[in-house]
Amino acid sequence: MSVRPAWEVRESEGTTRWFEFRLVFPDGARVDALVVVGGGCVRVEEVRAQPALSLDDLGMLADWIEEAVAGACGAGPEDGEGPGRRARPAWPRGAEGRRLVAREYRAAQRDGADPVLAVMGATGHSRRTTLRLIGQARDAGLLTPRRARR
């Protein structure tokens, strides 16, 4: 996988950065993506794939580029760690961990930031793991239940 900074815009509220990602698979398949990082969130703006991605593969795109986004933003592996390994902050397990997840989530909501990204940043876990931790905090009654979708 290759990551290349495309451009950066600095504003009084912060910095928005665009990155170009290229994933090349052993069978010759290729995925190019333009990703925007800013305002407390990460957005995939454009995806081109040859051959076309299935819906399942498109859903996995975030997992494929997660480490590359963290590395491009300065949150990549620490020196001395093996490839593909990221340093994670120490995060308690069990009830204490659920309380901290709930605290980070509510603080992000108050600040108008994306609560899932805030918990991801605090825990160092992937989006999938973070959503599971948030669900555990909800189940423990530390966060309000999700609204039912109709």
Side-chain angles (χ1 to χ4, degrees):
M1 173 183 318
S2 66
V3 180
R4 187 173 66 114
W7 62 93
E8 182 174 297
V9 176
R10 293 178 189 211
E11 299 173 330
S12 59
E13 300 87 38
T15 302
T16 302
R17 297 159 51 182
W18 283 260
F19 297 94
E20 295 175 335
F21 290 86
R22 174 168 285 167
L23 295 101
V24 180
F25 296 92
D27 64 357
R30 188 173 96 190
V31 178
D32 293 304
L34 180 64
V35 177
V36 180
V37 179
C41 60
V42 177
R43 293 181 306 274
V44 177
E45 293 252 323
E46 182 178 336
V47 176
R48 295 181 185 189
Q50 189 63 21
L53 294 174
S54 69
L55 287 177
D56 290 336
D57 290 340
L58 188 59
M60 293 178 59
L61 182 62
D63 292 337
W64 291 338
I65 64 174
E66 175 187 8
E67 187 171 327
V69 169
C73 293
E78 298 293 329
D79 291 337
E81 290 189 350
R85 302 281 304 173
R86 287 174 290 161
R88 286 200 175 113
W91 196 261
R93 295 177 184 254
E96 180 62 23
R98 289 189 293 273
R99 280 193 291 276
L100 292 173
V101 164
R103 186 184 72 203
E104 291 291 334
Y105 189 95
R106 286 191 305 270
Q109 282 182 319
R110 277 192 305 273
D111 296 342
D114 184 325
V116 175
L117 287 177
V119 175
M120 284 174 65
T123 64
H125 289 294
S126 70
R127 183 171 188 84
R128 182 174 294 149
T129 301
T130 298
L131 290 171
R132 184 175 47 79
L133 292 171
I134 291 168
Q136 290 172 354
R138 284 189 199 290
D139 292 345
L142 301 169
L143 292 170
T144 58
R146 288 183 53 113
R147 284 172 249 164
R149 293 184 184 185
R150 294 182 184 192

Tab-separated table of all heavy atoms in Angstrom, residues 91-114:
chain	number	residue	atom	x	y	z
A	91	TRP	N	-5.108	0.912	28.264
A	91	TRP	CA	-6.544	1.112	28.444
A	91	TRP	C	-7.059	0.005	29.349
A	91	TRP	O	-6.899	-1.167	29.038
A	91	TRP	CB	-7.259	1.069	27.099
A	91	TRP	CG	-8.641	1.630	27.178
A	91	TRP	CD1	-9.800	0.939	27.293
A	91	TRP	CD2	-9.000	3.002	27.193
A	91	TRP	NE1	-10.867	1.792	27.361
A	91	TRP	CE2	-10.401	3.069	27.307
A	91	TRP	CE3	-8.281	4.187	27.123
A	91	TRP	CZ2	-11.086	4.268	27.342
A	91	TRP	CZ3	-8.960	5.375	27.160
A	91	TRP	CH2	-10.358	5.413	27.270
A	92	PRO	N	-7.669	0.370	30.452
A	92	PRO	CA	-8.144	-0.663	31.375
A	92	PRO	C	-9.283	-1.480	30.775
A	92	PRO	O	-10.045	-0.999	29.956
A	92	PRO	CB	-8.619	0.128	32.588
A	92	PRO	CG	-8.859	1.506	32.093
A	92	PRO	CD	-7.958	1.714	30.913
A	93	ARG	N	-9.371	-2.699	31.227
A	93	ARG	CA	-10.455	-3.583	30.790
A	93	ARG	C	-11.567	-3.545	31.822
A	93	ARG	O	-11.420	-2.972	32.888
A	93	ARG	CB	-9.932	-5.004	30.657
A	93	ARG	CG	-8.893	-5.144	29.581
A	93	ARG	CD	-8.369	-6.561	29.548
A	93	ARG	NE	-7.313	-6.683	28.581
A	93	ARG	CZ	-7.450	-7.277	27.406
A	93	ARG	NH1	-8.595	-7.820	27.079
A	93	ARG	NH2	-6.442	-7.333	26.573
A	94	GLY	N	-12.676	-4.172	31.487
A	94	GLY	CA	-13.767	-4.327	32.440
A	94	GLY	C	-14.523	-3.044	32.701
A	94	GLY	O	-14.629	-2.167	31.846
A	95	ALA	N	-15.046	-2.937	33.916
A	95	ALA	CA	-15.923	-1.818	34.286
A	95	ALA	C	-15.206	-0.474	34.160
A	95	ALA	O	-15.793	0.504	33.690
A	95	ALA	CB	-16.446	-2.008	35.710
A	96	GLU	N	-13.948	-0.411	34.566
A	96	GLU	CA	-13.210	0.858	34.474
A	96	GLU	C	-13.052	1.289	33.021
A	96	GLU	O	-13.219	2.460	32.688
A	96	GLU	CB	-11.842	0.739	35.153
A	96	GLU	CG	-11.026	2.006	35.109
A	96	GLU	CD	-11.672	3.183	35.826
A	96	GLU	OE1	-12.514	2.977	36.716
A	96	GLU	OE2	-11.311	4.335	35.498
A	97	GLY	N	-12.746	0.357	32.133
A	97	GLY	CA	-12.626	0.666	30.710
A	97	GLY	C	-13.938	1.161	30.127
A	97	GLY	O	-13.966	2.108	29.348
A	98	ARG	N	-15.054	0.516	30.511
A	98	ARG	CA	-16.370	0.959	30.034
A	98	ARG	C	-16.692	2.366	30.523
A	98	ARG	O	-17.254	3.173	29.786
A	98	ARG	CB	-17.453	-0.031	30.455
A	98	ARG	CG	-17.367	-1.353	29.690
A	98	ARG	CD	-18.558	-2.248	29.955
A	98	ARG	NE	-18.602	-2.736	31.332
A	98	ARG	CZ	-17.985	-3.825	31.759
A	98	ARG	NH1	-17.265	-4.548	30.938
A	98	ARG	NH2	-18.100	-4.209	33.019
A	99	ARG	N	-16.331	2.686	31.778
A	99	ARG	CA	-16.560	4.044	32.294
A	99	ARG	C	-15.756	5.071	31.496
A	99	ARG	O	-16.256	6.156	31.174
A	99	ARG	CB	-16.202	4.121	33.774
A	99	ARG	CG	-17.280	3.583	34.696
A	99	ARG	CD	-17.033	3.952	36.151
A	99	ARG	NE	-15.886	3.257	36.714
A	99	ARG	CZ	-15.913	2.036	37.223
A	99	ARG	NH1	-17.055	1.367	37.253
A	99	ARG	NH2	-14.833	1.477	37.706
A	100	LEU	N	-14.510	4.739	31.176
A	100	LEU	CA	-13.677	5.662	30.409
A	100	LEU	C	-14.198	5.831	28.979
A	100	LEU	O	-14.171	6.941	28.430
A	100	LEU	CB	-12.226	5.197	30.406
A	100	LEU	CG	-11.512	5.268	31.757
A	100	LEU	CD1	-10.144	4.617	31.672
A	100	LEU	CD2	-11.400	6.698	32.236
A	101	VAL	N	-14.673	4.754	28.368
A	101	VAL	CA	-15.268	4.842	27.029
A	101	VAL	C	-16.466	5.786	27.066
A	101	VAL	O	-16.600	6.678	26.225
A	101	VAL	CB	-15.686	3.441	26.514
A	101	VAL	CG1	-16.648	3.550	25.336
A	101	VAL	CG2	-14.464	2.627	26.118
A	102	ALA	N	-17.324	5.616	28.066
A	102	ALA	CA	-18.513	6.471	28.193
A	102	ALA	C	-18.106	7.930	28.406
A	102	ALA	O	-18.706	8.836	27.820
A	102	ALA	CB	-19.389	5.982	29.340
A	103	ARG	N	-17.074	8.167	29.211
A	103	ARG	CA	-16.628	9.538	29.465
A	103	ARG	C	-16.109	10.190	28.177
A	103	ARG	O	-16.466	11.327	27.859
A	103	ARG	CB	-15.528	9.543	30.527
A	103	ARG	CG	-15.126	10.963	30.923
A	103	ARG	CD	-13.989	10.994	31.893
A	103	ARG	NE	-12.786	10.613	31.148
A	103	ARG	CZ	-11.701	10.109	31.682
A	103	ARG	NH1	-11.629	9.879	32.962
A	103	ARG	NH2	-10.667	9.813	30.954
A	104	GLU	N	-15.286	9.466	27.402
A	104	GLU	CA	-14.766	9.994	26.136
A	104	GLU	C	-15.900	10.259	25.147
A	104	GLU	O	-15.916	11.280	24.466
A	104	GLU	CB	-13.765	9.015	25.519
A	104	GLU	CG	-12.471	8.874	26.266
A	104	GLU	CD	-11.598	10.106	26.192
A	104	GLU	OE1	-11.707	10.885	25.216
A	104	GLU	OE2	-10.797	10.308	27.123
A	105	TYR	N	-16.849	9.342	25.090
A	105	TYR	CA	-17.983	9.457	24.177
A	105	TYR	C	-18.807	10.709	24.493
A	105	TYR	O	-19.109	11.512	23.616
A	105	TYR	CB	-18.840	8.189	24.291
A	105	TYR	CG	-19.935	8.058	23.259
A	105	TYR	CD1	-19.717	7.330	22.102
A	105	TYR	CD2	-21.183	8.635	23.455
A	105	TYR	CE1	-20.720	7.175	21.157
A	105	TYR	CE2	-22.187	8.502	22.515
A	105	TYR	CZ	-21.947	7.769	21.372
A	105	TYR	OH	-22.937	7.633	20.435
A	106	ARG	N	-19.165	10.872	25.766
A	106	ARG	CA	-19.984	12.031	26.162
A	106	ARG	C	-19.217	13.344	25.981
A	106	ARG	O	-19.799	14.356	25.580
A	106	ARG	CB	-20.453	11.868	27.596
A	106	ARG	CG	-21.561	10.825	27.743
A	106	ARG	CD	-22.217	10.853	29.112
A	106	ARG	NE	-21.275	10.702	30.212
A	106	ARG	CZ	-20.905	9.550	30.751
A	106	ARG	NH1	-21.411	8.427	30.288
A	106	ARG	NH2	-20.055	9.511	31.749
A	107	ALA	N	-17.927	13.354	26.257
A	107	ALA	CA	-17.125	14.577	26.085
A	107	ALA	C	-17.103	14.987	24.613
A	107	ALA	O	-17.236	16.175	24.293
A	107	ALA	CB	-15.709	14.363	26.606
A	108	ALA	N	-16.962	14.029	23.721
A	108	ALA	CA	-16.966	14.341	22.290
A	108	ALA	C	-18.326	14.876	21.854
A	108	ALA	O	-18.404	15.825	21.072
A	108	ALA	CB	-16.598	13.099	21.481
A	109	GLN	N	-19.395	14.289	22.376
A	109	GLN	CA	-20.739	14.785	22.055
A	109	GLN	C	-20.888	16.241	22.499
A	109	GLN	O	-21.413	17.065	21.760
A	109	GLN	CB	-21.803	13.935	22.734
A	109	GLN	CG	-22.073	12.627	22.055
A	109	GLN	CD	-23.179	11.849	22.755
A	109	GLN	OE1	-23.236	11.807	23.979
A	109	GLN	NE2	-24.046	11.226	21.961
A	110	ARG	N	-20.436	16.546	23.723
A	110	ARG	CA	-20.531	17.918	24.231
A	110	ARG	C	-19.745	18.896	23.369
A	110	ARG	O	-20.159	20.030	23.161
A	110	ARG	CB	-20.013	17.999	25.666
A	110	ARG	CG	-20.993	17.618	26.725
A	110	ARG	CD	-20.514	17.999	28.113
A	110	ARG	NE	-19.196	17.448	28.430
A	110	ARG	CZ	-18.975	16.244	28.944
A	110	ARG	NH1	-19.985	15.442	29.200
A	110	ARG	NH2	-17.752	15.835	29.204
A	111	ASP	N	-18.581	18.434	22.859
A	111	ASP	CA	-17.716	19.299	22.059
A	111	ASP	C	-18.129	19.362	20.595
A	111	ASP	O	-17.505	20.062	19.805
A	111	ASP	CB	-16.264	18.821	22.144
A	111	ASP	CG	-15.701	18.925	23.548
A	111	ASP	OD1	-16.279	19.668	24.379
A	111	ASP	OD2	-14.676	18.253	23.825
A	112	GLY	N	-19.152	18.595	20.222
A	112	GLY	CA	-19.615	18.584	18.841
A	112	GLY	C	-18.734	17.757	17.916
A	112	GLY	O	-18.786	17.917	16.702
A	113	ALA	N	-17.908	16.875	18.473
A	113	ALA	CA	-17.027	16.025	17.676
A	113	ALA	C	-17.669	14.654	17.481
A	113	ALA	O	-18.659	14.324	18.125
A	113	ALA	CB	-15.680	15.878	18.375
A	114	ASP	N	-17.096	13.879	16.605
A	114	ASP	CA	-17.581	12.518	16.363
A	114	ASP	C	-17.192	11.652	17.554
A	114	ASP	O	-16.003	11.445	17.811
A	114	ASP	CB	-16.956	11.964	15.089
A	114	ASP	CG	-17.481	10.583	14.716
A	114	ASP	OD1	-17.760	9.779	15.629
A	114	ASP	OD2	-17.587	10.318	13.519
